[in-house]
Structures are given as C-alpha cells and as structure tokens.
Amino acid sequence: MSSKSKATIADVARAAGVSTATAGRVLGHYGYTSEEKKEQVLKAAQELGYRPNALARSLITGKTRTLGVVAGDIQNPFYASVIRGISNVADANGFGLLITNSDEIPAHEVHAVELLAQKQVDGLIVTPIDTRRARHLFSIKAMGMPLVLIDRAVGGLMVDRVATDNIAAAEQAVRHLIGEGHRRIGIVAELVDENFMTLDQFVSHAIAGDPIESETLYPSWQRLLGYIRAHRIGGLTVDPRLIMRAGSYSAQAAQDVVPPAMTSAHPPTALFTTDGTMSEGTMRALTMLKLSVPENLSLVCFDDLDWMSFLRPGITTVSQPRLAMGEAAARMLLERIRGEEYPSRTVLMPAELILRGSVSRV
C-alpha cells in the first residue's frame, strides 16, 4: 500500500489478523473485544497510520462531534475571549469548533447559521443581531438542534443564554463616579437603533422608573439603563446632552461624538464608555483634544482590554467574565446535545469593577 494512501478499517483488520467487525468495534470504541485482539488492532492501526473517517462515522451515528459558533466580530477582544472559553470546554470533551463571523450584519448571520446547519454541527452558539424576530434561530430550534445564545436574547425564543448583568455593572461603574463627586457624567455608547422607541422616549421612561423590557435590549442600551438608574439612585438629573450616541459599532463613530460635548459650555467632568470599541474612539478623541486623564477628565470604561492596564495611569474598567461566559455556554450546549432536558436557562454573570488611576475626586 502506498505511503500516501489512507488506511481503512479493512486494512487494519487484515494487518491485525481479525475480522473487519472486530476492528470496527475497537476503533469505534463500542462493543466487547478481548484485550489481546484490542492490542493487535491498535498496534496495526498505529503502524498503518490509520485515521478515523469522521464523515463516515457521522453518517452512522448522526453526530459530528463539532460545535458551531457565530460571533459578531472575531477580531473584537470580547469575542476572542468568549471563543477561547468555548474552545477550552469543547477540547476537553472531544469536540471540534467551526467558527464563523457575522460582522454584525443580519444577512451574514443568517448565512452563517445555514452553513453550520448544513455542516451538521451538533449544536450552535450564537450572538444574535436581531433580538426581536430572528426567524432563522426559531427555525433552528424547531429542527431540534441545540442552541445557546451569548450576550443577547431574542424575544420569545426559549433557549439557554449566557450574558453579563449589564445593567447592574453599568450602575456600579457610574455610582463609583458619583461617589467621587462627579455630577456631570457623560456616556459614550453605540445605541444602535432598536426600532421600538426613540432615544428620548427611552431616557424619559428610564428616568421615570417605568418598566422597560430589558432582556432583549442590546448591551449598550442595557448599560445606558444602568447609567440612568445610577443617576436616579443618586438623586441626579440626567442631561440628555451628555448621552453621546455613536450610532454604530466603530471607534471612528465614538471619536466623532466626543468633541462636541467636551468643547461645550458645560462639559462633563467624567465619561463612561460602554465597550472596548467606544473606549478606543474616546481615547483618540481625548488625545486629539489634548485632554489628560484624570487631570482634565475622569474615565471609566466597560470591558477590560490589555492597553487599559498598560497606560499610566491605568484605566478603571468594568471587566466582563468573558472566558467564563464562553465556558458556561459550551457546557450548557453539551448538556443539551447529551439530551439533558431542563426549562430554558439564563445565566447572568456579574462583572468586576477594577479600580485603577483614571478617576479623580471632584
């Protein structure tokens, strides 16, 4: 047999002097085989360089031992850490990963989900873009494929989900600034259009303490809600002019919205940014304006990125348990793949406020 050809179970059986059925039991890890014959088969397989045919096995078992992941942007440190957590659990349980990127574009997400379903992954982990309808995800659930959501929920879709408690984490961060004497605190957030109410309506309802269905909100809206709650608890008025809405997930958009507020007649004394991308754009804007942190402005950022600890002074941040979120999502998905049945579960993980040197007392 050529060294370049692929050894088959029949080749292994012939070399080991056993039947093909016996070789199949040993290499497929099922049924009973004597220790003597098991050793013969394993030795022959090693000498021939036998590798199991995953496709053939999947046709027999209906399982590919792979998990599919649809991330918003795999270059974003948030997703990179989450995927690392998923990978840790998948590897430990003998599963592979197929990772796709939606770029936060709905059509890309739909295509990615369809592609992974065609690849017959055993389950999916998705960060959904459409939190209101997402028909493709309802279809996946109806097909019986196990599905876990990361970071965001979809209204009416009863599946497992893992996320950070964004509202509580943002409230804690802003209350820290209030505790240091700040009364004019700006927020820099994407606040991508949710199409359910205007920003002014949202702020009015939040200030009044009206009930808001927060579970299906994008994280930046949840963090805005935490920002407003901190003001309400602290007895402070929310100035809508200090809500800097970038309108898209880009550092450039954040960089563009910061200067008008900072050069106004009544600029903020502190800023709260709602994620790493907003923080990057904000820092660029502050550098362009020649403003120093914390001498001219205090700063708290959501998401603890490497550069925030390298700066002097370091940046006070809200650190999400990104690795743990990925690990939890993968464990929940594997439980569903094994057929374990529970009501749909939501795990909200607490974030940690890491105090560094970017907040000064007023």
Side-chain angles (χ1 to χ4, degrees), residues 96-112:
L97 287 184
L98 291 178
I99 301 169
T100 57
N101 196 54
S102 72
D103 285 322
E104 300 288 358
I105 299 172
H108 289 189
E109 181 186 297
V110 172
H111 175 72

Side-chain angles (χ1 to χ4, degrees), residues 1 5-14 23 27 48 50-51:
M1 182 170 57
S5 63
K6 294 181 179 180
T8 66
I9 287 181
D11 297 327
V12 174
R14 193 178 304 113
L27 298 173
L48 293 173
Y50 170 80
R51 295 291 181 271

Side-chain angles (χ1 to χ4, degrees), residues 288-349:
M288 180 183 69
L289 294 169
K290 296 182 170 54
L291 295 175
S292 298
V293 174
E295 290 81 6
N296 306 124
L297 181 77
S298 290
L299 178 65
V300 176
C301 299
F302 207 107
D303 279 341
D304 186 23
L305 305 184
D306 288 343
W307 59 265
M308 295 177 182
S309 61
F310 296 159
L311 293 177
R312 291 294 176 267
I315 304 298
T316 292
T317 62
V318 177
S319 178
Q320 296 191 79
R322 298 173 295 188
L323 191 73
M325 290 170 67
E327 291 174 343
R331 283 194 295 268
M332 294 168 82
L333 186 62
L334 291 177
E335 289 169 0
R336 297 298 189 182
I337 290 170
R338 289 194 292 264
E340 298 181 25
E341 294 186 4
Y342 313 94
S344 59
R345 300 163 292 178
T346 294
V347 175
L348 288 182
M349 294 191 166

Side-chain angles (χ1 to χ4, degrees), residues 21 44 63 97 105 113 121 145 159 163 171 180 192 237 296 347:
K63 302 291 184 183
L97 287 184
I105 299 172
V113 168
V121 295
M145 178 176 288
V159 296
E171 180 186 314
E180 292 299 313
V192 174
T237 300
N296 306 124
V347 175

Side-chain angles (χ1 to χ4, degrees), residues 277-291:
T277 300
M278 295 296 100
S279 300
E280 179 185 340
T282 297
M283 289 299 293
R284 289 181 189 172
L286 297 181
T287 299
M288 180 183 69
L289 294 169
K290 296 182 170 54
L291 295 175

Side-chain angles (χ1 to χ4, degrees), residues 57-90:
R57 180 184 296 173
S58 71
L59 292 174
I60 296 170
T61 65
K63 302 291 184 183
T64 60
R65 297 195 70 79
T66 56
L67 307 180
V69 179
V70 182
D73 179 3
I74 57 178
Q75 283 190 313
N76 186 308
F78 171 82
Y79 291 109
S81 295
V82 167
I83 291 170
R84 179 72 224 196
I86 296 170
S87 177
N88 288 347
V89 173

Side-chain angles (χ1 to χ4, degrees), residues 21-354:
T22 297
R25 285 196 299 273
V26 174
L27 298 173
H29 307 288
Y30 63 88
Y32 172 77
T33 308
S34 69
E35 288 301 318
E36 179 183 358
K37 289 185 177 179
K38 188 180 293 185
E39 289 180 11
Q40 290 172 220
V41 171
L42 293 176
K43 180 180 178 183
Q46 183 176 15
E47 290 174 350
L48 293 173
Y50 170 80
R51 295 291 181 271
N53 187 325
L55 178 59
R57 180 184 296 173
S58 71
L59 292 174
I60 296 170
T61 65
K63 302 291 184 183
T64 60
R65 297 195 70 79
T66 56
L67 307 180
V69 179
V70 182
D73 179 3
I74 57 178
Q75 283 190 313
N76 186 308
F78 171 82
Y79 291 109
S81 295
V82 167
I83 291 170
R84 179 72 224 196
I86 296 170
S87 177
N88 288 347
V89 173
D91 288 348
N93 287 273
F95 278 72
L97 287 184
L98 291 178
I99 301 169
T100 57
N101 196 54
S102 72
D103 285 322
E104 300 288 358
I105 299 172
H108 289 189
E109 181 186 297
V110 172
H111 175 72
V113 168
E114 290 175 349
L115 175 66
L116 292 171
Q118 290 169 8
K119 296 293 183 183
Q120 297 187 339
V121 295
D122 296 330
L124 278 172
I125 297 175
V126 180
T127 301
I129 299 168
D130 184 350
T131 63
R132 302 286 165 178
R133 293 172 296 275
R135 294 186 183 90
H136 58 297
L137 297 183
F138 281 93
S139 296
I140 285 292
K141 188 193 176 193
M143 289 167 50
M145 178 176 288
L147 171 65
V148 175
L149 304 183
I150 285 273
D151 198 36
R152 305 167 191 163
V154 174
L157 182 60
M158 305 304 290
V159 296
D160 295 334
R161 180 172 72 101
V162 180
T164 300
D165 191 343
N166 288 306
I167 297 172
E171 180 186 314
Q172 180 188 18
V174 177
R175 289 182 71 178
H176 171 66
L177 288 168
I178 294 171
E180 292 299 313
H182 293 277
R183 297 296 178 265
R184 290 189 58 77
I185 302 168
I187 179 171
V188 185
E190 299 96 338
L191 300 177
V192 174
D193 188 7
E194 283 276 3
N195 292 319
F196 68 103
M197 66 174 74
T198 67
L199 176 58
D200 288 343
Q201 289 171 333
F202 181 90
V203 171
S204 295
H205 284 296
I207 290 173
D210 296 337
I212 294 177
E213 174 51 55
S214 61
E215 187 176 72
T216 57
L217 292 175
Y218 266 55
S220 61
W221 288 89
Q222 292 176 338
R223 293 164 194 171
L224 173 61
L225 188 55
Y227 164 91
I228 294 171
R229 286 186 180 181
H231 280 72
R232 198 171 70 241
I233 291 169
L236 300 181
T237 300
V238 174
D239 184 346
R241 293 170 297 183
L242 296 181
I243 299 175
M244 297 166 229
R245 183 181 193 175
S248 68
Y249 289 96
S250 78
Q252 184 60 55
Q255 183 177 343
D256 291 342
V257 298
V258 170
M262 297 309 305
T263 56
S264 68
H266 301 286
T269 62
L271 290 182
F272 170 58
T273 61
T274 57
D275 65 36
T277 300
M278 295 296 100
S279 300
E280 179 185 340
T282 297
M283 289 299 293
R284 289 181 189 172
L286 297 181
T287 299
M288 180 183 69
L289 294 169
K290 296 182 170 54
L291 295 175
S292 298
V293 174
E295 290 81 6
N296 306 124
L297 181 77
S298 290
L299 178 65
V300 176
C301 299
F302 207 107
D303 279 341
D304 186 23
L305 305 184
D306 288 343
W307 59 265
M308 295 177 182
S309 61
F310 296 159
L311 293 177
R312 291 294 176 267
I315 304 298
T316 292
T317 62
V318 177
S319 178
Q320 296 191 79
R322 298 173 295 188
L323 191 73
M325 290 170 67
E327 291 174 343
R331 283 194 295 268
M332 294 168 82
L333 186 62
L334 291 177
E335 289 169 0
R336 297 298 189 182
I337 290 170
R338 289 194 292 264
E340 298 181 25
E341 294 186 4
Y342 313 94
S344 59
R345 300 163 292 178
T346 294
V347 175
L348 288 182
M349 294 191 166
E352 179 186 3
L353 181 63
I354 300 177

